[in-house]
Amino acid sequence: MKQARPLIVRALSNETVERPPVWFMRQAGRYLPEYRALRAEHSFLTMCHSPELAAEVTLQPLRRYPFDAGIVFSDILLPLECMGAELEYVPGTGPIIRNPVRTAADVAALKPFDPLRDLPSPMETIRICTQEADVPILGFAGAPFTMACYMIDGQGSRNWPETKRMMFGQPKVFQALLDRLADAVGDHLQAQVDAGAVGVQLFDTWAGALSPDDFRRWALPASRRALARVSGAPRMFFTKDSAPLLPWLKALEADAYALDWRVDIGAARKLLGDVAVQGNMDPMALHAPHDEIRRRVRKIIAAAGPKGHIFNLGHGLTPDIDPQAVGVAVDEVCGWSWS
Ligand code: CP3
C-alpha cells in the first residue's frame, strides 16, 4: 500500500522519523542472480535504453527486500552519449569514451542535451516503476565534475591526469565544459522529478580527488548550478572521500548529503548543520558475520539520530556481496524504533 507521505520523503525533508528509511546505492545490479540472468541476454546499454527492462531491474531488489525506495536503473554517463561521446561499457574495464574531450573545439562541438528528446528512457522507467512499486522511486544524475572526468580522461582513473591537465592548463575551456554539463544534468534531474521521482541524487563520486581549494573553485559551483535548476523534490548530493570537503558542502544548498564510510556520521552532522544526511555503512562491512552487520547498522543509526537520516551504504553495492547480507542489514534498519 502506498503511503500518503512516504518515510523517505519525510526524512529527506529533515523531519524526525520513527526509524530511518533505507535504500542502497547500486541496489539493482550484479550481486543479484536475477540481474545477472537478464544481463546475460542484453547489453548494459540496451537495458538502460529499454524502459521495460530497466523497470524490471529497478523492481528486482524491491521484490527481495523491504527497501523504502527504488532508484531508477540507468547510468550517469548516458547523457554524455547524447552530447556526442562514443561510450562503451567494457566488461572488466568499465566505461570507455573513445573520443575524449581535450580542446576548446571539442567542447564547442558538444551537442545540446534535451532529456525528453534525447534520453527518454529513465523518465519512462520512473513512470512504470511508480505504477508498479509499493515504494517511491528516486532519480539521479552525475555531477558536472565527475562527468567531466570521464569525458576528458576517457575512462576511469585514480588520478584523472587529463582532467587536471585541462583544469590547470585550459581553465576557460574546463569552465565552459562544466557549465554545459551543469545545465545538462540539472535538466536531466528536473525531467526525472517531473516524471514522478520523489527525490534525486547528484553523484559527485570523484570530487574527493580535488584539493579543498579546487573543489570550491570548480566542482562546488558547478554542482550548485545543476542543483539550482531542480525544484519540486528533495535533492541529495553524494561524494566519496567527503571528509575534507564537509566544511564547504553546505554552500551547495542540497537538501541532503550522502556520506561515505570514512566519516563519523555524528561528527559530520555537526559540520553540516541542521540538514538531512544519508549513509554511511562501508559496503565491505556486508562481508562481516551477520551479528556484526547488525551491530554496525545500529551504531550508525544511533550516531545519526532520529532527525533527517536516510540509511544507506557509503558507496554502491559491489558484485561480490552476498544478497543474504543485504537482507540482514535492511532487516536491522527496518526493526529500529526511535520511540
Ligand atoms: O544504484 C542503482 O541501482 C541505480 C543504477 C546506477 C548504476 N550506476 C548502474 C550500473 C547508478 C546510480 C550508477 C551511478 C554511477 N555510474 C556512478 C556514480 C556512483 C558510483 O558508483 O560512484 C558512476 C561513477 C558510474 C559510471 C559507471 N557505470 C561505472 C564506473 C561502471 C562500471 C563499474 C562496474 O562496477 O563495473 C558503470 C556500469 C554500471 N552502472 C553497472 C551498473 C549496474 C554494471 C554494468 C553491468 O551490468 O555490466
Side-chain angles (χ1 to χ4, degrees), residues 29-160:
R30 286 163 295 177
Y31 75 104
L32 288 178
E34 57 270 35
Y35 174 87
R36 294 197 300 270
L38 205 59
R39 180 72 175 76
E41 292 172 37
H42 309 277
S43 77
F44 175 63
L45 277 173
T46 300
M47 283 169 46
C48 289
H49 287 301
S50 316
E52 294 292 340
L53 291 174
E56 169 58 24
V57 174
T58 305
L59 297 171
Q60 282 176 346
L62 303 180
R63 295 190 191 112
R64 267 189 190 247
Y65 312 109
F67 280 127
D68 292 292
I71 178 160
V72 61
F73 187 79
S74 177
D75 196 68
I76 64 164
L77 302 180
L78 300 189
L80 301 182
E81 215 182 9
C82 309
M83 297 172 83
E86 291 162 24
L87 174 67
E88 263 178 69
Y89 289 85
V90 181
T93 306
I96 293 198
I97 290 173
R98 302 276 176 205
N99 56 340
V101 165
R102 297 284 162 82
T103 66
D106 293 341
V107 174
L110 293 175
K111 294 184 223 157
F113 174 64
D114 174 342
L116 288 175
R117 180 194 66 197
D118 303 331
L119 189 56
S121 176
M123 280 69 84
E124 189 51 34
T125 304
I126 289 168
R127 272 191 211 97
I128 297 171
C129 292
T130 301
Q131 285 279 318
E132 304 222 335
D134 292 335
V135 293
I137 304 299
L138 304 170
F140 71 90
F145 176 75
T146 290
M147 303 277 270
C149 285
Y150 286 99
M151 255 204 151
I152 299 166
D153 266 272
Q155 64 179 68
S157 165
R158 181 181 280 268
N159 295 321
W160 304 102

Side-chain angles (χ1 to χ4, degrees), residues 11 153 169 246 320:
D153 266 272
L246 285 175
D320 50 288

